[in-house]
Amino acid sequence: MAITAFIFGLLIYIGFRVFSGSLYTVKPNERAVLTSFGRAQRIGDSFVTDDSLNDEERQRYQFPMLRTIGPGGPYFKWPWQQVHKVDVATQALDLTWDPTKRQSTIEAVTKDNLTTGVNGQIRFRASESNLYAYLFGIDSPLEHVMGYFVSVLRERIANFVDPKGQSLVGDSEMQGDEGTGPAVDLSEGVSINDLRKNLPLLNDYMEQQCRSTGTRYGIELDAALITQIDPPTEVDRALSAINSTRNQVAADISTARADAEQQITMSKRAVEIASNNAQAEVAPLRELGETLSKIKGTGGREALRAYLRNMRIPLLKQARRIVQVTAPSR
């Protein structure tokens, strides 16, 4: 009797432990995947697709689509089944994060062989549409994605060229529009300066290049926020000196342009004044010519001679000496 009661109690205990361990819930920020004997529940023969991958990458990153369990519960699972929960909330992480070592900045080499430090953050989240890659495709997906991101970032910094150009005082840049300054900032041409001024472009490039990480590694990159690019102290001092010199050159060029524009304006005004004076001198002569033509047309030559004689009288009164030249005798 005692043995029967012990066995009955043991069965009840085992049943309670099995039943209590078979219930689980999923939080609002979580998604769950159920595996039976280690095999995840799939959605037919569907695979994750991404048009941004080429043919070779599609063959390499071919992951099946899994049946995902949404928030809620309690759900039931059999003892031979296992629940894998994934946090799908957006998270932020420093670029310096590396579980294998401690570092305060990410070192990168620019196009002109200057070593610089890069700091910032990335925002990411687990891809709900590709949980297979996140759970089973890679041992440490976050570490893998950080390594991929840093590699792309270093490659971009090593080949970065300012899209506005590198010429300091090129002819095309100095022409510009009338009345405006030089077409480009004269502090361009040094890689670190170009990178600092084009951080939005760098962030956009990183987001574009890492757009396929959801298909590759099961982690979607939400945003790249590279906020700081600091060269070594000695390089920073040299860059400051270069920037000061270039700013002084820019100021001198602006002053020269202002002086030249002032001279051009003054020349235009002088031409306008001379033109107005000439018109003022010509206008009475034209008026006199028209008057003489009218007199000749109305009264004939006699009227014209009489008019000219009358016009000479005031002049003869003012003259002190008159020299008359006669025609030479033949």
Side-chain angles (χ1 to χ4, degrees):
M1 185 64 181
I3 297 176
T4 303
F6 174 76
I7 295 174
F8 182 74
L10 182 61
L11 292 175
I12 293 176
Y13 174 75
I14 294 174
F16 175 77
R17 291 298 303 267
V18 170
F19 181 77
S20 61
S22 298
L23 298 178
Y24 65 94
T25 58
V26 180
K27 296 179 181 178
N29 62 321
E30 292 180 338
R31 301 293 182 271
V33 174
L34 198 61
T35 58
S36 301
F37 298 108
R39 179 181 172 82
Q41 296 180 349
R42 306 185 179 187
I43 303 177
D45 296 330
S46 301
F47 290 89
V48 179
T49 59
D50 189 348
D51 296 335
S52 62
L53 301 180
N54 55 37
D55 295 337
E56 189 271 338
E57 290 173 337
R58 288 174 185 171
Q59 294 295 328
R60 184 191 307 173
Y61 303 105
Q62 190 174 21
F63 298 112
M65 297 186 67
L66 302 182
R67 190 177 303 280
T68 305
I69 301 173
Y75 298 105
F76 177 80
K77 72 176 184 64
W78 295 106
W80 57 83
Q81 292 181 323
Q82 185 177 359
V83 179
H84 302 269
K85 297 180 181 178
V86 178
D87 188 354
V88 295
T90 301
Q91 304 177 47
L93 193 64
D94 289 337
L95 287 179
T96 56
W97 179 83
D98 191 340
T100 61
K101 60 182 178 182
R102 285 190 176 183
Q103 55 185 0
S104 59
T105 185
I106 298 293
E107 291 187 352
V109 180
T110 63
K111 189 174 183 179
D112 42 11
N113 294 324
L114 295 176
T115 301
T116 184
V118 183
N119 286 323
Q121 287 186 333
I122 62 170
R123 289 203 304 262
F124 66 95
R125 60 176 175 270
S127 175
E128 295 186 43
S129 60
N130 192 17
L131 291 180
Y132 188 95
Y134 185 83
L135 291 173
F136 312 112
I138 303 171
D139 186 25
S140 179
L142 183 56
E143 184 179 355
H144 199 90
V145 167
M146 285 300 296
Y148 175 79
F149 183 88
V150 172
S151 299
V152 175
L153 177 62
R154 284 173 172 163
E155 186 273 338
R156 182 55 176 168
I157 289 176
N159 298 283
F160 185 84
V161 177
D162 194 326
K164 294 181 180 178
Q166 302 182 79
S167 177
L168 178 60
V169 288
D171 295 337
S172 59
E173 295 170 353
M174 292 306 302
Q175 289 176 357
D177 297 331
E178 186 176 357
T180 62
V184 299
D185 191 345
L186 296 179
S187 61
E188 297 174 354
V190 180
S191 296
I192 293 180
N193 285 337
D194 296 341
L195 287 167
R196 283 174 168 172
K197 291 190 299 182
N198 293 280
L199 282 180
L201 292 179
L202 189 61
N203 288 326
D204 292 341
Y205 176 83
M206 296 305 298
E207 293 177 11
Q208 182 180 1
Q209 291 298 313
C210 297
R211 192 169 297 168
S212 62
T213 55
T215 305
R216 292 167 178 259
Y217 314 115
I219 291 182
E220 296 178 348
L221 184 65
D222 183 62
L225 303 172
I226 300 171
T227 56
Q228 200 170 1
I229 295 180
D230 291 328
T233 305
E234 296 179 354
V235 176
D236 196 17
R237 291 176 182 172
L239 289 175
S240 299
I242 293 173
N243 291 336
S244 299
T245 303
R246 291 181 182 232
N247 291 336
Q248 183 62 42
V249 172
D252 294 342
I253 291 176
S254 298
T255 302
R257 287 175 60 89
D259 292 341
E261 291 175 357
Q262 185 177 5
Q263 293 294 330
I264 293 173
T265 303
M266 293 176 65
S267 300
K268 290 181 179 178
R269 293 288 179 83
V271 171
E272 291 178 358
I273 292 173
S275 178
N276 292 334
N277 290 335
Q279 290 179 359
E281 293 178 359
V282 169
L285 296 177
R286 288 181 176 175
E287 184 67 22
L288 179 60
E290 293 177 358
T291 302
L292 295 177
S293 298
K294 290 180 180 178
I295 292 173
K296 183 179 180 181
T298 304
R301 292 180 176 275
E302 294 300 328
L304 181 60
R305 289 194 185 94
Y307 176 79
L308 294 176
R309 185 178 62 252
N310 293 333
M311 292 296 293
R312 287 174 182 160
I313 292 175
L315 297 176
L316 293 175
K317 290 181 179 178
Q318 297 178 4
R320 296 180 179 178
R321 185 178 180 184
I322 300 174
V323 177
Q324 184 174 7
V325 179
T326 58
S329 59
R330 298 181 177 176

